[in-house]
Amino acid sequence: MNMQESEINEAFRAEVREWMAQHLTGKFAPLKHASGLGAEGYDAQLAKEWEQELAKGGWTGLGWDVHYGGRNAPLSQQVIFHEEYVRSGGPGRIGHIGETLLAPTLMAFGTAEQKARFLPGILAGTDYWAQGYSEPGAGSDLAAIRTKANRDPATGEWVIHGQKVWTSWAHESEWVFVLARTEEASVPVASARHAGMVLLLVPIKQAGVEVRPIRQITGTSEFNEVFFDGARTDGALHLGPVGDGWKVAMYLLGCERGASTLGQQAHFRYELDLIIDLAKRNGTARDPLIRQRIAKADMGLQTLRAHALRSSSEDTPFRVASVSKYAWSNWHRDLGELAMDVLGEQGELELKEPTLAALQQLWLVSRADTIYAGTNEIQMNLMAERALGMPR
Amino acid sequence: MDLSLNEEQKMIAESAAVFLQEKSTTAQVRKVSETEGGLDRALWQEVVDMGWCSVALPEAAGGMGLGWRELVLLQEQMGYHLACVPFFDAVIAVTPLWKALSQTEQGLPVVERLAASGQICVLGMTVRGELPAGATVKVEGDQLLLNGQWSQVGSGSHADVFLLPATLPCGSLGLLEVSAKAQGLSVQALTTVDATRSSANVSAVNVSLTGAAVLMHGDALKKLWVQTRNLAAIGLAAEQVGVADRALNLAVDYTKERQQFGKAVSSFQGVKHRAAQILVKVETARSAVYAAAFIADTAGDATDLTYFAAQARTDAAEAALFSTRESIQLHGGVGFTWEFDPHLFFRRAQAASQRLGTVEQWREQVAARLLDESVTEAA
């Protein structure tokens, strides 16, 4: 990085900080530091208005090409935005599934009509998307999905039957992208596990779709079960070729596992700083074992950062990159346990003070980190088989 | 922070790997550690001739002018191949002192003489990397008389020259160059559990020196000592990454060959998951070491290296301990035998975990910075 670049980036950093200070205030003040649904002050309606405020400020689609309405900002600036957003107390993003998962997949596989129809709503923070991948019998083994979709010969519409689960935000979203099996005659080898799939863009608010929120370990509901009983969507709303849905779905998952890691660490830093402040205040900082764990957590975060930087270069061996998800998710789960031990006796009570409540939430929510996007066990199989060449 | 290796760095790492794979086989390591006291003289001479010892010295002092990133790549390979040469004690741990010395008019010729000679020159520090207490220098006529003890000095039994810290008559700390052959200096070799590396007790009784033997002194030396310890810790961490990586590879290779219940042991999930957990520790520790070396090279003296050294050191020590223990376990019964190699790496991992301070001590240093009101850097 040369001097001129770093000056531009410093200016950008200051710009983000200033904008956040000016806008995350007034009616949006309750959202400050609220990590997501279930967190104190996180009201879904307000969170959507906040997305629109961000859009007006030009902070959505930061990395998108200019002709999609984005800013084409380099990765370094996207990371700076994430960092400063979190440092300023920016709330969990209700629009992130649309913006960071679906949009890049639309850009890669969508038709001109699909892009023109869906990208502006995502960019403006007016359309929200849910992810219809997992099913009761298909979690880490996603290829085992059974939801079926076939075209109605009379209308040409897709008709969907089946069930999805762990569908984040479905009860707050307008659209869901659904991975389904299709038996269309044009599709070859529909019986093979990865063949015969289609990724559909489906409106949620219709008679054939029933959304049932799942009460989670946190006591609140971000996930849902979604039942499709003859749900319909336009015959042209499949993303990528019919039968090739698996490839499109995997591309989308790649977006999930990719660039957000560096920004996520800014949020981890915020959480760890809450723990350090609390430990100083309540005296646990003098406990020799707690001190060791705090120091370990702090250096562990620095290591995650170093590893993310080492993994981000183009010619990174798979062996290096394969370690990332396992490393950060387990680090974060440990952090949740440390948070509770630093809370000590207080941790037994349901806490109202926002930063303390956030630490309890961290303890509970982090139990999901080692399960979603490939469980610990799946990650270990992947590393053993693909990085170390051990047999299946 | 760009942590990918550039072409030159890749070449350094690869050529070191190829060279040591041939010269430092475990058969050779066993032979040298059982019969030669842990020093492969021929290998050391080749290492000297290739210029590896002066990689990070300034060109003005006859070095290559490269940095800590290049040094850690070499040291990682030294660990991977358990090379029986005192690269850590006589290169990594003294390079920061030599770099500082080479910037002074009086120091430059000393560095040129010592660095180019191929002599083994080691630092009289405690196992934990602290300054030994109690050694003194007094003045008698135009002579200096050195008295004191330096116990468990790494590679001390093979040293040609010692750099010994002692308190000067003025009360400040001084670093003295003392030949291993100096009259009154005795070097007593110790038997080590990790026989690939030697150690010795060094004591001085009225060793007579001239004023020129005092290479550095005072606050400058104290400050440099902290820097030296931090940089050495990053180098040692690289060695531990190499040790951890090798122990993992030994285990993976063995479990691919070993059959039980009609299939390779490596196909069992219990085995695969253990190997994957080791991989996570090895690769994250490697990232931590590269980051620390990057900071060491680019941030200059102003940056407090202690944090990054602690990070690299604790990650790498834990990776090496975990990997070598698990490697024995994954080898099953033969892992407990002398004949198979895991114990060689297990011994090195354990011995190295005590050098320059334990994981807990490094963590406490960081904890003090994060959690306590005022902390001053102590040597």
Side-chain angles (χ1 to χ4, degrees), chain A residues 141-203:
Chain A
D141 181 13
L142 191 58
I145 59 153
R146 289 158 64 187
T147 294
K148 284 199 166 50
N150 286 297
R151 271 189 274 220
D152 180 345
T155 63
E157 287 175 317
W158 288 101
V159 183
I160 307 153
H161 291 274
Q163 182 194 346
K164 294 290 175 183
V165 73
W166 318 131
T167 316
S168 299
W169 307 111
H171 57 310
E172 297 291 349
S173 299
E174 282 74 32
W175 290 85
V176 58
F177 44 90
V178 177
L179 186 63
R181 294 198 168 279
T182 179
E183 298 294 334
E184 281 200 1
S186 62
V187 177
V189 236
S191 57
R193 274 164 57 87
H194 297 110
M197 290 198 190
V198 64
L199 192 69
L200 297 173
L201 310 176
V202 184

Side-chain angles (χ1 to χ4, degrees), chain B residues 103-370:
Chain B
Q103 268 139 41
T104 66
E105 209 176 305
Q106 301 92 321
L108 186 57
V110 178
V111 175
E112 284 175 321
R113 171 167 54 82
L114 289 176
S117 68
Q119 293 186 82
I120 295 171
C121 176
V122 306
L123 196 55
M125 60 179 161
T126 67
V127 170
R128 290 186 167 177
E130 292 142 358
L131 289 163
T136 58
V137 177
K138 60 185 179 197
V139 183
E140 205 164 277
D142 57 355
Q143 295 290 295
L144 301 176
L145 291 182
L146 173 65
N147 283 282
Q149 278 209 5
W150 301 264
S151 55
Q152 279 181 252
V153 175
S155 300
S157 51
H158 300 306
D160 303 302
V161 182
F162 290 96
L163 301 179
L164 298 175
T167 306
L168 301 177
C170 63
S172 79
L173 182 75
L175 188 70
L176 294 94
E177 180 194 345
V178 183
S179 164
K181 296 196 184 81
Q183 194 159 18
L185 193 79
S186 61
V187 179
Q188 186 201 351
L190 301 167
T191 308
T192 50
V193 170
D194 168 17
T196 63
R197 185 167 266 172
S198 74
S199 180
N201 281 337
V202 179
S203 59
V205 178
N206 287 330
V207 173
S208 170
L209 301 164
T210 68
V214 182
L215 300 180
M216 260 181 271
H217 65 92
D219 288 342
L221 176 58
K222 274 197 164 172
K223 194 172 160 226
L224 188 58
W225 192 277
V226 174
Q227 193 80 351
T228 297
R229 188 164 176 265
N230 287 334
L231 289 167
I234 298 167
L236 187 61
E239 172 191 306
Q240 289 173 304
V241 167
V243 166
D245 197 7
R246 183 68 176 282
L248 170 62
N249 288 350
L250 287 175
V252 169
D253 289 347
Y254 180 76
T255 58
K256 280 180 185 169
E257 278 174 20
R258 169 83 171 148
Q259 303 268 323
Q260 288 281 270
F261 304 103
K263 41 181 166 173
V265 167
S266 57
S267 66
F268 297 124
Q269 213 167 44
V271 170
K272 285 200 255 190
H273 285 189
R274 195 42 57 98
Q277 285 168 340
I278 302 172
L279 177 71
V280 172
K281 287 196 187 283
V282 171
E283 286 300 344
T284 53
R286 187 174 271 141
S287 299
V289 170
Y290 289 4
F294 182 95
I295 297 286
D297 282 342
T298 55
D301 294 343
T303 301
D304 167 23
L305 258 186
T306 302
Y307 182 90
F308 293 94
Q311 177 209 1
R313 178 79 178 102
T314 54
D315 281 348
E318 291 201 330
L321 289 168
F322 182 68
S323 179
T324 55
R325 288 167 185 159
E326 294 302 326
S327 187
I328 292 176
Q329 176 71 23
L330 290 169
H331 275 75
V334 302
F336 188 67
T337 65
W338 190 268
E339 184 193 342
F340 278 71
D341 290 336
H343 74 97
L344 301 174
F345 295 89
F346 180 59
R347 288 163 195 272
R348 171 62 72 88
Q350 182 62 39
S353 77
Q354 295 292 330
R355 293 294 303 267
L356 301 177
T358 61
V359 163
E360 289 75 15
Q361 288 172 317
W362 283 103
R363 277 204 193 116
E364 173 51 34
Q365 285 192 75
V366 170
R369 281 146 197 270
L370 291 173

Side-chain angles (χ1 to χ4, degrees), chain A residues 307 317-326 379 382-383 387, chain B residues 279:
Chain A
H307 192 74
F318 173 75
R319 180 184 148 116
V320 176
S322 68
V323 162
S324 300
K325 201 271 169 169
Y326 186 94
Q379 299 296 335
L382 265 175
M383 286 187 272
Chain B
L279 177 71

